[in-house]
Coordinates of all heavy atoms in Angstrom, one line a residue:
N13 N 0.9 -1.2 0.0 CA 0.0 0.0 0.0 C 0.9 1.2 0.0 O 2.0 1.2 0.5 CB -0.9 0.1 1.2 CG -2.0 -0.9 1.2 OD1 -2.6 -1.2 0.2 ND2 -2.4 -1.4 2.4
I14 N 0.4 2.3 -0.6 CA 0.9 3.6 -0.5 C 0.0 4.4 0.3 O -1.2 4.3 0.2 CB 1.3 4.3 -1.8 CG1 2.0 5.6 -1.6 CG2 0.0 4.5 -2.7 CD1 3.4 5.6 -1.1
W15 N 0.5 5.2 1.2 CA -0.3 5.9 2.3 C 0.0 7.4 2.2 O 1.2 7.8 2.2 CB -0.2 5.4 3.7 CG -0.5 4.1 3.9 CD1 0.2 3.0 3.7 CD2 -1.8 3.6 4.4 NE1 -0.5 1.8 4.0 CE2 -1.7 2.1 4.5 CE3 -2.9 4.2 4.9 CZ2 -2.7 1.4 5.0 CZ3 -3.9 3.4 5.4 CH2 -3.9 2.0 5.4
R16 N -1.0 8.3 2.3 CA -0.7 9.7 2.4 C -1.0 10.1 3.9 O -2.1 9.8 4.4 CB -1.6 10.5 1.5 CG -1.3 12.0 1.5 CD -1.9 12.8 0.4 NE -3.3 12.5 0.2 CZ -3.9 12.4 -1.1 NH1 -3.1 12.5 -2.2 NH2 -5.1 12.2 -1.2
N17 N 0.0 10.7 4.6 CA -0.2 11.0 6.0 C -1.3 12.0 6.3 O -2.0 12.0 7.3 CB 1.1 11.5 6.5 CG 2.1 10.3 6.8 OD1 1.7 9.3 7.3 ND2 3.3 10.6 6.4
S18 N -1.6 12.9 5.4 CA -2.5 14.1 5.8 C -3.9 13.6 5.9 O -4.8 14.1 6.7 CB -2.4 15.2 4.8 OG -2.8 14.7 3.5
D19 N -4.3 12.6 5.1 CA -5.7 12.1 5.2 C -5.8 10.5 5.2 O -6.9 10.1 5.2 CB -6.6 12.6 4.0 CG -5.9 12.3 2.6 OD1 -4.9 11.5 2.6 OD2 -6.5 12.7 1.7
M20 N -4.6 9.9 5.3 CA -4.5 8.4 5.3 C -5.2 7.8 4.1 O -5.5 6.6 4.1 CB -5.2 7.8 6.6 CG -4.4 8.2 7.9 SD -2.6 7.8 7.7 CE -2.6 6.1 8.0
K21 N -5.3 8.6 2.9 CA -5.7 8.0 1.7 C -4.7 6.9 1.4 O -3.5 7.2 1.6 CB -5.9 9.0 0.6 CG -6.4 8.5 -0.7 CD -6.8 9.6 -1.6 CE -7.3 9.0 -3.0 NZ -8.5 8.4 -2.8
H22 N -5.1 5.8 0.7 CA -4.1 4.8 0.4 C -4.7 4.1 -0.9 O -5.8 4.0 -1.2 CB -3.9 3.8 1.5 CG -5.1 3.1 1.9 ND1 -6.1 3.6 2.7 CD2 -5.4 1.8 1.7 CE1 -7.0 2.7 2.9 NE2 -6.6 1.6 2.3
Y23 N -3.7 3.5 -1.5 CA -4.0 2.6 -2.7 C -3.1 1.3 -2.5 O -2.1 1.4 -1.9 CB -3.5 3.3 -4.0 CG -4.3 4.4 -4.4 CD1 -3.8 5.7 -4.5 CD2 -5.6 4.2 -4.8 CE1 -4.5 6.8 -5.0 CE2 -6.5 5.3 -5.3 CZ -5.9 6.5 -5.3 OH -6.7 7.6 -5.7
T24 N -3.7 0.3 -3.0 CA -3.0 -1.1 -2.9 C -2.3 -1.3 -4.3 O -2.8 -1.0 -5.3 CB -4.1 -2.1 -2.7 OG1 -4.8 -1.9 -1.5 CG2 -3.6 -3.6 -2.6
C25 N -1.2 -2.0 -4.2 CA -0.4 -2.3 -5.4 C -1.2 -3.1 -6.3 O -2.0 -4.0 -5.9 CB 0.7 -3.1 -5.0 SG 2.0 -2.2 -4.1
N26 N -1.2 -2.7 -7.6 CA -2.0 -3.5 -8.5 C -1.3 -3.7 -9.9 O -1.9 -4.2 -10.8 CB -3.3 -2.7 -8.8 CG -3.1 -1.3 -9.4 OD1 -2.0 -0.9 -9.6 ND2 -4.2 -0.6 -9.6
R27 N -0.1 -3.3 -10.0 CA 0.6 -3.5 -11.3 C 1.8 -4.3 -11.1 O 2.7 -4.0 -10.3 CB 1.0 -2.1 -11.8 CG 1.7 -2.1 -13.1 CD 2.1 -0.7 -13.5 NE 2.2 -0.5 -14.9 CZ 3.3 -0.9 -15.6 NH1 4.3 -1.5 -15.0 NH2 3.4 -0.6 -16.9
K28 N 1.9 -5.4 -11.7 CA 3.0 -6.4 -11.7 C 4.1 -5.9 -12.5 O 3.9 -5.5 -13.6 CB 2.7 -7.8 -12.1 CG 1.8 -8.6 -11.1 CD 1.7 -10.0 -11.4 CE 1.7 -10.8 -10.2 NZ 2.5 -12.0 -10.1
T29 N 5.3 -5.8 -11.9 CA 6.5 -5.4 -12.7 C 7.5 -6.4 -12.8 O 8.5 -6.3 -13.5 CB 7.1 -4.1 -12.1 OG1 7.5 -4.5 -10.6 CG2 6.1 -3.0 -12.0
G30 N 7.2 -7.6 -12.2 CA 8.2 -8.7 -12.2 C 7.5 -10.0 -11.6 O 6.3 -9.9 -11.2
T31 N 8.2 -11.0 -11.5 CA 7.6 -12.3 -10.9 C 7.1 -12.0 -9.5 O 6.0 -12.5 -9.1 CB 8.6 -13.4 -10.9 OG1 9.2 -13.5 -12.2 CG2 8.1 -14.6 -10.4
R32 N 7.9 -11.3 -8.7 CA 7.5 -11.0 -7.3 C 7.7 -9.5 -7.0 O 8.3 -9.2 -6.0 CB 8.3 -11.9 -6.4 CG 7.8 -13.4 -6.4 CD 8.6 -14.3 -5.6 NE 10.1 -14.4 -5.9 CZ 10.6 -15.1 -6.9 NH1 9.8 -15.9 -7.5 NH2 11.9 -15.1 -7.1
E33 N 7.3 -8.7 -7.9 CA 7.3 -7.3 -7.7 C 5.9 -6.6 -8.2 O 5.4 -7.1 -9.2 CB 8.4 -6.6 -8.5 CG 9.8 -6.9 -8.1 CD 10.8 -6.3 -9.1 OE1 10.5 -5.6 -10.1 OE2 12.0 -6.3 -8.7
M34 N 5.5 -5.6 -7.4 CA 4.3 -4.9 -7.8 C 4.5 -3.5 -7.4 O 5.2 -3.1 -6.5 CB 3.1 -5.4 -7.1 CG 2.7 -6.8 -7.4 SD 1.4 -7.5 -6.3 CE 0.0 -6.6 -7.1
L35 N 3.8 -2.5 -8.1 CA 3.7 -1.1 -7.9 C 2.3 -0.7 -7.5 O 1.4 -1.3 -8.0 CB 4.1 -0.4 -9.1 CG 5.5 -0.4 -9.7 CD1 5.7 0.5 -11.0 CD2 6.5 0.2 -8.6
S36 N 2.3 0.4 -6.7 CA 0.9 0.9 -6.4 C 0.7 2.1 -7.4 O 1.6 2.6 -8.0 CB 1.0 1.5 -5.0 OG 1.7 2.6 -4.9
P37 N -0.6 2.6 -7.5 CA -0.9 3.9 -8.1 C -0.2 4.9 -7.3 O 0.2 4.7 -6.1 CB -2.4 3.9 -8.0 CG -2.8 2.6 -7.8 CD -1.8 2.0 -7.0
M38 N -0.2 6.1 -7.8 CA 0.5 7.3 -7.2 C -0.5 8.1 -6.3 O -1.7 8.1 -6.5 CB 1.1 8.2 -8.1 CG 2.2 7.6 -9.1 SD 2.9 8.9 -10.2 CE 1.5 9.3 -11.2

């Protein structure tokens, strides 16, 4: 997950970039 401290908005990783790697949205 990526988290923003000011409002605790977060996104879950959803983009595979490798066998065991993932990226979240920004």
Side-chain angles (χ1 to χ4, degrees):
N13 286 325
I14 183 68
W15 296 84
R16 183 167 49 220
N17 283 315
S18 62
D19 59 3
M20 293 308 284
K21 182 170 182 71
H22 64 282
Y23 290 113
T24 300
C25 289
N26 61 4
R27 185 179 202 282
K28 285 192 147 217
T29 59
T31 305
R32 288 177 299 275
E33 291 178 352
M34 294 176 77
L35 289 176
S36 74
M38 297 184 295

